[in-house]
Amino acid sequence: MGVNNAELMNNLGLSCFYAQQYDMTLICFERALALADGESAAEIWYNIGHLALVSWGNGLLKQLFTHMPD
């Protein structure tokens, strides 16, 4: 199909997470961030933060957002 955009990769990352395909989750979110503009990037970072909080707790969440790019 050739469709490759930030929203698609973001949704695919969420799907991979809930299917317990954690290695693919990270790859999808990295690709989504590479393709994202301002508003899309905010939504992607929100999802990454939510998954980090649910999966690994506050420690990783604090570390993740401390090193977040501008």
Side-chain angles (χ1 to χ4, degrees):
M1 233 165 50
V3 177
N4 192 16
N5 61 39
E7 185 176 328
L8 175 69
M9 297 309 291
N10 185 35
N11 290 334
L12 187 57
L14 290 172
S15 298
C16 289
F17 177 80
Y18 290 116
Q20 299 179 353
Q21 300 294 322
Y22 303 119
D23 55 338
M24 288 300 298
T25 300
L26 296 175
I27 292 169
C28 290
F29 281 135
E30 287 175 352
R31 288 183 185 166
L33 286 170
L35 296 169
D37 57 6
E39 187 175 323
S40 298
E43 185 176 337
I44 296 163
W45 277 111
Y46 173 83
N47 287 333
I48 292 170
H50 175 73
L51 298 180
L53 180 63
V54 168
S55 299
W56 300 288
N58 290 339
L60 180 65
L61 187 65
K62 183 178 178 182
Q63 183 179 5
L64 175 70
F65 286 114
T66 300
H67 299 293
M68 189 174 99
D70 292 330

